[in-house]
């Protein structure tokens, strides 16, 4: 925990130095009604019956959504920015064609390359969420090994990384498959 505190303070100090450098722009959209900056912008949208609730880290003056990351770029997914794009359009009437990540990690401080968001239409994002919903409803959980596996709440039961993976024929198991986990 102390290492995270130290890293967090270092990232904030580095960001302040970056921000004070006149070569950089960090212009946040301001609400025209009350003058508040668009930081941690809440959204609550409906994608054909699937409620999606979240927060956009920040929206720039050009309407571009920006997600702030304190880790590595390799785990960032453009879909997150695509969902923000749809939320901006649906809830606020703002059209965004691109978005970016803002990296705070030492050595990579600054914006990522611009991400083209034009493919992330409401229909496209809705299709993705509905496919995920169908998988969950049918208890289909495909492993997607990545760096976050170490902090996954259900890693123990994963077919790829787990020590007590869900049986492939779990539907034929008469009692809950997890009852005798400790017995091997």
């Amino acid at each position: 925990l102390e290492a995270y505190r130290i890293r967090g303070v270092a990232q904030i100090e580095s960001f302040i130095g970056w921000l004070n450098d006149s070569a950089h722009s960090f212009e946040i959209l301001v609400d025209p009604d009350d003058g508040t900056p668009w930081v941690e912008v809440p959204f609550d949208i409906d994608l054909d019956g699937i409620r999606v609730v979240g927060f956009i880290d920040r929206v720039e003056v050009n309407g571009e959504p920006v997600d702030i990351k304190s880790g590595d770029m390799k785990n960032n997914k453009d879909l997150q920015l695509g969902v923000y794009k749809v939320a901006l359009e649906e809830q606020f009437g703002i059209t965004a064609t691109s978005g970016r990540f803002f990296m705070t990690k030492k050595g990579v401080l600054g914006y990522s390359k611009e991400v083209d968001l034009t493919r992330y239409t409401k229909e496209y994002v809705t299709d993705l969420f509905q496919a995920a919903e169908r998988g969950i409803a049918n208890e289909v959980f495909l492993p997607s090994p990545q760096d976050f596996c170490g902090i996954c709440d259900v890693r123990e039961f994963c077919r790829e990384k787990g020590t007590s993976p869900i049986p492939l024929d779990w539907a034929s198991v008469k009692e809950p498959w997890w009852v005798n986990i400790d017995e091997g």
Side-chain angles (χ1 to χ4, degrees), residues 88-104:
L88 286 170
E89 289 171 352
E90 290 296 303
Q91 192 164 324
F92 304 105
I94 295 174
T95 302
T97 58
S98 63
R100 292 185 288 174
F101 295 100
F102 185 86
M103 306 305 297
T104 64

Side-chain angles (χ1 to χ4, degrees):
L1 190 58
E2 186 60 25
Y4 282 112
R5 284 190 187 113
I6 292 169
R7 187 174 97 185
V9 169
Q11 287 180 337
I12 291 169
E13 289 172 345
S14 181
F15 169 71
I16 291 170
W18 180 91
L19 187 59
N20 288 331
D21 182 341
S22 61
H24 302 336
S25 174
F26 203 70
E27 297 182 57
I28 300 171
L29 185 66
V30 176
D31 190 294
D33 296 328
D34 63 13
T36 58
W38 282 44
V39 175
E40 289 297 317
V41 180
F43 66 88
D44 186 343
I45 58 174
D46 180 272
L47 300 177
D48 289 344
I50 299 174
R51 184 178 183 200
V52 181
V53 178
F55 293 86
I56 304 170
D57 287 353
R58 47 177 297 190
V59 180
E60 297 206 334
V61 293
N62 62 358
E64 181 178 79
V66 175
D67 191 72
I68 299 173
K69 298 291 186 193
S70 60
D72 294 318
M73 276 298 298
K74 63 185 171 184
N75 291 318
N76 297 330
K77 304 291 184 221
D78 295 349
L79 175 59
Q80 180 180 10
L81 293 174
V83 171
Y84 293 169
K85 173 198 184 270
V86 171
L88 286 170
E89 289 171 352
E90 290 296 303
Q91 192 164 324
F92 304 105
I94 295 174
T95 302
T97 58
S98 63
R100 292 185 288 174
F101 295 100
F102 185 86
M103 306 305 297
T104 64
K105 187 175 179 182
K106 188 175 184 178
V108 293
L109 181 68
Y111 287 104
S112 70
K113 66 176 177 48
E114 196 170 81
V115 177
D116 180 3
L117 300 179
T118 55
R119 73 186 222 167
Y120 295 101
T121 63
K122 181 181 181 184
E123 294 76 20
Y124 179 79
V125 173
T126 298
D127 284 347
L128 293 175
F129 274 80
Q130 287 180 340
E133 180 74 15
R134 285 191 304 275
I136 292 167
N138 289 295
E139 299 186 23
V140 175
F141 306 105
L142 301 175
S144 179
Q146 54 185 292
D147 290 347
F148 294 119
C149 288
I151 62 170
C152 178
D153 291 338
V154 294
R155 175 188 170 138
E156 177 182 351
F157 310 112
C158 178
R159 295 292 315 159
E160 290 292 316
K161 300 286 187 174
T163 55
S164 302
I166 298 171
L168 289 176
D169 62 342
W170 68 269
S172 66
V173 176
K174 302 237 183 293
E175 62 181 41
W177 57 268
W178 60 87
V179 170
N180 298 317
I181 287 176
D182 293 331
E183 296 174 13

